[in-house]
PDB file of all heavy atoms in Angstrom:
ATOM      1  N   GLN Y  37       5.306  23.898   4.842  1.00  0.00           N
ATOM      2  CA  GLN Y  37       5.851  23.967   6.196  1.00  0.00           C
ATOM      3  C   GLN Y  37       7.127  24.787   6.171  1.00  0.00           C
ATOM      4  O   GLN Y  37       8.084  24.428   5.478  1.00  0.00           O
ATOM      5  CB  GLN Y  37       6.123  22.568   6.755  1.00  0.00           C
ATOM      6  CG  GLN Y  37       6.567  22.561   8.217  1.00  0.00           C
ATOM      7  CD  GLN Y  37       6.696  21.155   8.765  1.00  0.00           C
ATOM      8  OE1 GLN Y  37       7.033  20.215   8.067  1.00  0.00           O
ATOM      9  NE2 GLN Y  37       6.410  20.995  10.069  1.00  0.00           N
ATOM     10  N   GLY Y  40       9.419  27.620  12.030  1.00  0.00           N
ATOM     11  CA  GLY Y  40       8.746  28.527  12.953  1.00  0.00           C
ATOM     12  C   GLY Y  40       7.337  28.917  12.553  1.00  0.00           C
ATOM     13  O   GLY Y  40       6.728  29.767  13.205  1.00  0.00           O
ATOM     14  N   PHE Y  90       3.792  19.462   1.665  1.00  0.00           N
ATOM     15  CA  PHE Y  90       3.198  18.181   2.022  1.00  0.00           C
ATOM     16  C   PHE Y  90       1.821  18.060   1.389  1.00  0.00           C
ATOM     17  O   PHE Y  90       1.001  18.972   1.479  1.00  0.00           O
ATOM     18  CB  PHE Y  90       3.071  18.031   3.531  1.00  0.00           C
ATOM     19  CG  PHE Y  90       4.375  17.824   4.238  1.00  0.00           C
ATOM     20  CD1 PHE Y  90       5.023  18.890   4.821  1.00  0.00           C
ATOM     21  CD2 PHE Y  90       4.952  16.565   4.283  1.00  0.00           C
ATOM     22  CE1 PHE Y  90       6.243  18.714   5.473  1.00  0.00           C
ATOM     23  CE2 PHE Y  90       6.163  16.370   4.930  1.00  0.00           C
ATOM     24  CZ  PHE Y  90       6.811  17.444   5.519  1.00  0.00           C
ATOM     25  N   SER Y  94      -7.555  12.163   2.930  1.00  0.00           N
ATOM     26  CA  SER Y  94      -8.376  11.484   3.929  1.00  0.00           C
ATOM     27  C   SER Y  94      -9.665  11.016   3.286  1.00  0.00           C
ATOM     28  O   SER Y  94     -10.054  11.505   2.216  1.00  0.00           O
ATOM     29  CB  SER Y  94      -8.671  12.395   5.124  1.00  0.00           C
ATOM     30  OG  SER Y  94      -9.485  13.471   4.734  1.00  0.00           O
ATOM     31  N   GLY Y 107       1.958  12.764   2.821  1.00  0.00           N
ATOM     32  CA  GLY Y 107       3.093  12.263   2.068  1.00  0.00           C
ATOM     33  C   GLY Y 107       4.393  12.590   2.786  1.00  0.00           C
ATOM     34  O   GLY Y 107       4.390  13.219   3.855  1.00  0.00           O
TER      35      GLY Y 107
ATOM     36  N   GLN F  37       6.076  14.275  13.956  1.00  0.00           N
ATOM     37  CA  GLN F  37       6.798  14.348  12.691  1.00  0.00           C
ATOM     38  C   GLN F  37       8.270  14.110  12.950  1.00  0.00           C
ATOM     39  O   GLN F  37       8.877  14.769  13.811  1.00  0.00           O
ATOM     40  CB  GLN F  37       6.593  15.724  12.039  1.00  0.00           C
ATOM     41  CG  GLN F  37       7.226  15.863  10.673  1.00  0.00           C
ATOM     42  CD  GLN F  37       6.964  17.218  10.049  1.00  0.00           C
ATOM     43  OE1 GLN F  37       6.614  18.172  10.740  1.00  0.00           O
ATOM     44  NE2 GLN F  37       7.127  17.321   8.748  1.00  0.00           N
ATOM     45  N   GLY F  40      12.567  14.666   7.847  1.00  0.00           N
ATOM     46  CA  GLY F  40      12.492  14.122   6.499  1.00  0.00           C
ATOM     47  C   GLY F  40      11.223  13.359   6.195  1.00  0.00           C
ATOM     48  O   GLY F  40      11.130  12.732   5.135  1.00  0.00           O
ATOM     49  N   GLY F  42       6.657  13.131   6.691  1.00  0.00           N
ATOM     50  CA  GLY F  42       5.438  13.874   6.932  1.00  0.00           C
ATOM     51  C   GLY F  42       4.886  13.592   8.319  1.00  0.00           C
ATOM     52  O   GLY F  42       5.267  12.624   8.970  1.00  0.00           O
ATOM     53  N   VAL F  50     -12.283  14.850  20.631  1.00  0.00           N
ATOM     54  CA  VAL F  50     -13.493  15.494  20.134  1.00  0.00           C
ATOM     55  C   VAL F  50     -14.329  16.127  21.257  1.00  0.00           C
ATOM     56  O   VAL F  50     -14.853  17.220  21.110  1.00  0.00           O
ATOM     57  CB  VAL F  50     -14.361  14.480  19.361  1.00  0.00           C
ATOM     58  CG1 VAL F  50     -15.640  15.118  18.874  1.00  0.00           C
ATOM     59  CG2 VAL F  50     -13.586  13.891  18.209  1.00  0.00           C
ATOM     60  N   TYR F  98     -12.834  21.148   6.094  1.00  0.00           N
ATOM     61  CA  TYR F  98     -11.700  20.254   5.998  1.00  0.00           C
ATOM     62  C   TYR F  98     -10.411  20.893   6.463  1.00  0.00           C
ATOM     63  O   TYR F  98      -9.438  20.224   6.725  1.00  0.00           O
ATOM     64  CB  TYR F  98     -11.553  19.815   4.542  1.00  0.00           C
ATOM     65  CG  TYR F  98     -10.438  18.854   4.277  1.00  0.00           C
ATOM     66  CD1 TYR F  98     -10.325  17.666   4.985  1.00  0.00           C
ATOM     67  CD2 TYR F  98      -9.477  19.129   3.312  1.00  0.00           C
ATOM     68  CE1 TYR F  98      -9.303  16.777   4.733  1.00  0.00           C
ATOM     69  CE2 TYR F  98      -8.466  18.238   3.047  1.00  0.00           C
ATOM     70  CZ  TYR F  98      -8.382  17.060   3.764  1.00  0.00           C
ATOM     71  OH  TYR F  98      -7.370  16.179   3.506  1.00  0.00           O
ATOM     72  N   LYS F 104       2.686  25.675  15.748  1.00  0.00           N
ATOM     73  CA  LYS F 104       4.030  25.701  15.183  1.00  0.00           C
ATOM     74  C   LYS F 104       4.864  24.508  15.616  1.00  0.00           C
ATOM     75  O   LYS F 104       5.939  24.273  15.075  1.00  0.00           O
ATOM     76  CB  LYS F 104       4.731  27.002  15.566  1.00  0.00           C
ATOM     77  CG  LYS F 104       4.069  28.235  14.976  1.00  0.00           C
ATOM     78  CD  LYS F 104       4.785  29.509  15.384  1.00  0.00           C
ATOM     79  CE  LYS F 104       4.078  30.724  14.783  1.00  0.00           C
ATOM     80  NZ  LYS F 104       4.741  31.989  15.146  1.00  0.00           N
TER      81      LYS F 104
END
Side-chain angles (χ1 to χ4, degrees):
Chain Y
Q37 186 175 32
F90 288 97
S94 66
Chain F
Q37 184 178 19
V50 178
Y98 181 54
K104 296 180 181 180

